[in-house]
Every structure is written in structure tokens, then in C-alpha cells.
Amino acid sequence: MNKTETVENKLTDLKKTLAYYETFSCVQCGYCLPACPTYQTMGKETHSPRGRINLVKMTAEGKLTNLNLLADSIDKCLGCRACETACPTGVRYGKIYESAKSLLHLREEESSPSKGWKNILLHSVIPNKKRLNRLANFVWFYQKSGLQKIARHSGFLRLLPNHLGEFEALLPTLPSPVERAKRPVRFPAQGKPKYRVAFFTGCVMDAIFEKINRLSMQLLQKAGCEVVMIEGETCCGALHAHTGDLETAKQLAKQNITAFEQAANREPLDFIVNNAGGCGAMLIEYDHLFRGDPEWEPRARTFVEKTRDISQVLTMTGPLPIVKQTNQKKEVVTYQRSCHMTNVQKVTKEPLQLIRSIPGIELREMENPDKCCGSAGIYNIVNYNESMDILDDKMSTVKNTGATTIITTNPGCLLQMKMGIIREGLQDKVRAVHLVELLAEACGIEI
């Protein structure tokens, strides 16, 4: 093979790895720029969707050989996909973004024999429920034994890398190992049964936010759903896909699809319900992961057709049995939308409908309510400064509403909003809750 043929082959491989032909849909109009949080805070073309698409195209054509420039641009992207909603020509930015992440992931594998803590977290901990539960039980012991007080007063937390000490302050109080083990695997419907649903517990959501998972199943139960938990389910794969590791994401997707198929063979299931905007977005794109695969694409499509966010199911089941009394003074709330729930799942009306159904609540929308809060999986850890710039902008719009409660529908957004409250010194005036917590409170479920 001569030198010219070798170069041509490399370019062909690059075009296959990168979503090169998708880049032609972008007409460089710039409608995406006002919607992009990183362009708004960083002010650089290379940190806009238009600029990133152009870099991917240039890389695929061999005009850009320094992948550090592409890596800096792509790694600073939140992956919120607000640009897709704003785009008049329907550019599939998510596909272009994931293809670039996949290329950079391959380069990282070649250049780094050990990818350190990210590798351990994503491959040894996140997909393994037993290890995640052990980690959650350790955190419970840390909180209850007095170690947490010692760590906070000694200044040890300030020594942790990547500002992890600040994130420690955001951890919710975790249930004991006994409480965790006692959680039922089936919640019978209350009143006339309407649906039988499988509940997707997820990975981090079930380890750290077990209370919200439990409340979700109790809410569904009150709404007339029989809720079953599925043995064998695992992480949705979103964190892996967003770091470019599509092969692991596919493996996890196959495990989930198989687990729910086996459950559906035992008894009919109307829906697969989740309560995390980011996880839900990954679940409803399982069929995209297996496009062209004659065995897995149809199985993934069946899984996708059953998948719903909890707000959709609670809206379908009719009015919730709310017991909250109207007080003289209304509680002012604002709603921070999950990017992936808005821009990928397209679930926008149902959460608002549920919030407005609670008596004594006044919903005040913030300016640019669809704009990302800067959480984006582990973005706020690996790109702390950029994430905090975005969060500070978001909090200024929250403060303008005068809300005392910020409602979210995603665990990452929930932690980020709690971080924003601390940064603004509003701990005694404002709280951040998941929508499920607010609804459970209104329905008289003990939280």
C-alpha cells in the first residue's frame, strides 16, 4: 500500500468514526448560539455547537490534525442538546457529539494505559449494584458514625481534589442498610388498578437518592399502578455514552433490555418508568445505539416504546390524591428543567401540569427556564470552573423569581441547584427538591 492509499484509508476510517455526513445539515446560521450555555459564558466560536460541528468536519476531512483542539472544544460541551431544539435545519448534534467523544475515547485508550479514577468509577463501580450499595452503606456509616462531623471540622474535605469537598456537602441523608434491604420488590396498586409498571431504579439514583426512588414507587402506587422492580437491571449507560465509551453503553443496554424482556415474559407490563431526566433520555435512544443491528434494534425499539418518565404516567392516571391544605401564604416555586428531559425526551408539559395541580403553590417561571444548570453528569466535577460560571448565571434568574423552592426532575440538576443555593448563601431561605418529593409531600406520603 503506497503513502497516498494509506492517507485515504485513514480519512475513510475517520469519516466512519465521526458522524461526518451529519455535519452537512449545519448551514452555519448561528440560531444555536443563544441556546448554547458554553458559548454564552465562554464567548468563543470553538465552544459553540456551530464551531464544534465545523471542527468535527475538518477533522474528518484531514484538515485538522491536532486533536487537542477538538478535545478541548468537545470536552467543554455539556451535551445538553439545547442546540437541537433551536436548530431550524434539524441537525442531529447529539450524534455528531457522541461520535467525536467516541474518537477521543479511542485516542485516550491508546495514549493512556490507565485512565485512573474515571475508569474505576465507570467500569467497576457504576454498573455493579452490589458495589454501589456497599459504597452507599459506607456513606451512611460515614454520616451516622460522627466521621462526617470530624471530616468537616478538621478541614480534611478542603484537601480533596476536584472540589469534591464542596460536593460532599450536597449529599442527602442515606437510608441504613437495613432500611435499604427492607424495600419491597412489588408495590400493589391502591384503589382500582390502572397499570402494571416496571420501575427502572438506575445506578447512582438508587444508591444516593434511594429515598426519591422509594417515593416514586409509592406515588405510582397511590395513583393506581402496581409497581414491580426488575431483577438484573443495571446502569442505563448514559455516563459511558457521554464519555465516548459506546461499547460499554451497548453492553449495559443489552443487559437492561434482556432483564425487562424476561420480566415481561412472566407478566404483562404496561410501561417501564424512570424518574431521572438523563437516564430517561438514554433509555429512549436505545434503538439508536443498535441502528442496523438485525437482532438488537427491534428489541431495543420495543423497550423504547414502553419507556416513560414518571410525570407522564402520573398525568395519565388522573388527579393525584392530594391532601395538602391551602395555606394563606402561597409557596412560591420555580422549575429548573432537565435538559435531556426537555431536548431529548421532549417531556415538557407534564411536570408543569403536576406542579400546578398542587394547591397553595405559585409557580413563577425563571428567565430562560430551558437553559442548562451546568451539571451534565460529571461535567461539574471535571470542568468545575466552567460549570460554576453557568450555575451562577442560572442562580441569578432563580433569585429574580423570589422562589423559596426550586423543583428539578434529574439528580444531577438537584445537586447542582443545592450547590447554587450554597454559593448564594440562601440555605435558610431556599430549598431544592425533586418533583417526586414535592408531589409525595402534597399527597401526605411520609418523606
Side-chain angles (χ1 to χ4, degrees), residues 251-287:
Q251 289 172 19
L252 297 173
K254 286 180 179 179
Q255 185 174 333
N256 283 324
I257 292 167
T258 302
F260 283 90
E261 283 175 342
Q262 291 172 347
N265 286 337
R266 289 190 292 272
E267 57 186 340
L269 297 171
D270 296 300
F271 302 114
I272 302 165
V273 183
N274 72 85
N275 61 5
C279 298
M282 185 69 197
L283 298 177
I284 68 158
E285 291 200 326
Y286 271 2
D287 52 340

Side-chain angles (χ1 to χ4, degrees), residues 260-317:
F260 283 90
E261 283 175 342
Q262 291 172 347
N265 286 337
R266 289 190 292 272
E267 57 186 340
L269 297 171
D270 296 300
F271 302 114
I272 302 165
V273 183
N274 72 85
N275 61 5
C279 298
M282 185 69 197
L283 298 177
I284 68 158
E285 291 200 326
Y286 271 2
D287 52 340
H288 295 188
L289 270 181
F290 297 107
R291 185 158 289 159
D293 185 320
E295 178 189 353
W296 284 97
E297 185 176 359
R299 292 171 69 177
R301 196 176 301 121
T302 301
F303 181 95
V304 169
E305 287 168 358
K306 293 268 185 185
T307 299
R308 298 286 188 281
D309 181 77
I310 187 170
S311 63
Q312 294 176 291
V313 178
L314 292 178
T315 306
M316 282 190 288
T317 51

Side-chain angles (χ1 to χ4, degrees), residues 10 27 56 71 81 83 103 132 139 143 147 166 176 256 259 278 288 294 308 314 355 357 393:
K10 283 187 176 179
V27 296
V56 168
R81 294 169 65 173
C83 50
L103 175 72
L132 266 178
V139 174
Q143 291 176 330
L147 284 175
E166 294 177 41
S176 71
N256 283 324
H288 295 188
R308 298 286 188 281
L314 292 178
I355 293 168
S357 71
D393 274 357

Side-chain angles (χ1 to χ4, degrees), residues 314-334:
L314 292 178
T315 306
M316 282 190 288
T317 51
L320 283 168
I322 290 173
V323 298
K324 181 178 179 179
Q325 300 298 314
T326 306
N327 297 322
Q328 287 186 339
K329 187 177 179 182
K330 285 192 172 183
E331 180 183 2
V332 179
V333 305
T334 192

